[in-house]
Amino acid sequence: DVKVTQSSRYLVKRTGEKVFLECVQDMDHENMFWYRQDPGLGLRLIYFSYDVKMKEKGDIPEGYSVSREKKERFSLILESASTNQTSMYLCASRLGNLGYTFGSGTRLTVV
Amino acid sequence: GESVGLHLPTLSVQEGDNSIINCAYSNSASDYFIWYKQESGKGPQFIIDIRSNMDKRQGQRVTVLLNKTVKHLSLQIAATQPGDSAVYFCAENRASGNTGKLIFGQGTTLQVKP
């Protein structure tokens, strides 16, 4: 089975901190995605990447950046965390036109 | 942003009954559809998928029906169990201009009463 691993299940950070959320997949998938999930708003796409060093903005990229230096790793960066970035963050990977495989999620709280 | 629509935010069923969760999509060019299950505090998990050249696909206790005429997708769960309590999302893949993204619905919460 494909595995998508998010490095932290829970994180608490202070306002203004730089935050790194890491995601690793083990099946050589080309496409990787970062979503945030909030009650009543569903899954919202932040950024995605279809190849190493390639990135595309999703629907809500403001306040975030990403890095994909290696195919298996896709990092989400909050340059200066704010309280409105408190959320559940989900990473996913995809091979071709099949479905996504999601990680377990990181619940980030910014205080 | 774009989204796939779900008819009901919450569905409550009795244990042992069958559940039907519905989803409407808007793009007739979509060629692939997926249902995900998300339990509390976890990431979404793949349940079943269907391609647009099919109208029905069955898995273990789950069936997905696709009606392309009215752009409607449904997930049927037979003999619903307490472990089926979760949020269910549909997702569509748009064949034209595809950049590898799926479009997700808002989710339906399934509550199973003992």
Side-chain angles (χ1 to χ4, degrees):
Chain A
D1 281 349
V2 177
K3 195 168 182 183
V4 177
T5 303
Q6 294 183 232
S7 55
S8 304
R9 291 296 303 274
Y10 300 94
L11 274 179
V12 180
K13 296 291 181 181
R14 295 193 179 279
T15 301
E17 276 193 78
K18 190 169 186 176
V19 181
F20 293 86
L21 302 183
E22 305 288 346
C23 177
V24 177
Q25 50 97 0
D26 65 359
M27 281 298 289
D28 206 37
H29 286 181
E30 305 100 352
N31 299 312
M32 295 187 75
F33 307 83
W34 275 107
Y35 287 84
R36 64 177 284 177
Q37 185 177 34
D38 301 286
L41 297 177
L43 290 160
R44 293 185 290 167
L45 181 63
I46 305 171
Y47 267 97
F48 65 103
S49 169
Y50 52 88
D51 203 351
V52 176
K53 297 192 185 294
M54 306 301 287
K55 60 185 179 184
E56 293 282 345
K57 292 180 180 179
D59 300 318
I60 51 162
E62 296 78 19
Y64 303 94
S65 62
V66 290
S67 172
R68 193 160 181 206
E69 296 297 316
K70 295 184 178 181
K71 194 172 186 179
E72 67 270 20
R73 185 180 296 269
F74 191 36
S75 302
L76 179 70
I77 303 153
L78 286 66
E79 298 290 342
S80 177
S82 64
T83 54
N84 63 12
Q85 292 178 310
T86 291
S87 187
M88 170 72 117
Y89 289 87
L90 290 164
C91 175
S93 72
R94 186 181 196 191
L95 177 66
N97 63 351
L98 299 175
Y100 288 2
T101 299
F102 283 93
S104 299
T106 296
R107 187 164 294 280
L108 173 68
T109 302
V110 182
V111 297
Chain B
E2 299 168 288
S3 67
V4 178
L6 283 170
H7 294 302
L8 288 174
T10 303
L11 177 65
S12 186
V13 300
Q14 203 72 39
E15 182 179 355
D17 287 353
N18 296 333
S19 302
I20 300 175
I21 301 171
N22 295 304
C23 182
Y25 63 95
S26 58
N27 194 316
S28 57
S30 294
D31 62 350
Y32 177 57
F33 303 87
I34 307 150
W35 281 100
Y36 288 92
K37 173 186 180 184
Q38 186 177 23
E39 295 174 278
S40 182
K42 298 182 180 180
Q45 290 185 298
F46 173 94
I47 304 173
I48 192 166
D49 59 1
I50 189 167
R51 299 225 171 253
S52 59
N53 60 352
M54 302 171 70
D55 52 22
K56 181 179 180 179
R57 191 157 188 235
Q58 288 185 290
Q60 188 176 15
R61 278 201 309 118
V62 295
T63 300
V64 56
L65 298 176
L66 176 63
N67 185 331
K68 294 181 287 294
T69 303
V70 295
K71 296 196 283 289
H72 184 267
L73 187 72
S74 68
L75 177 70
Q76 299 178 359
I77 304 173
T80 312
Q81 301 169 0
D84 295 326
S85 293
V87 178
Y88 290 82
F89 294 94
C90 63
E92 65 177 302
N93 182 79
R94 301 204 173 155
S96 61
N98 181 38
T99 56
K101 296 184 293 181
L102 294 175
I103 308 299
F104 287 91
Q106 291 295 307
T108 291
T109 300
L110 178 64
Q111 298 173 338
V112 182
K113 296 178 286 186

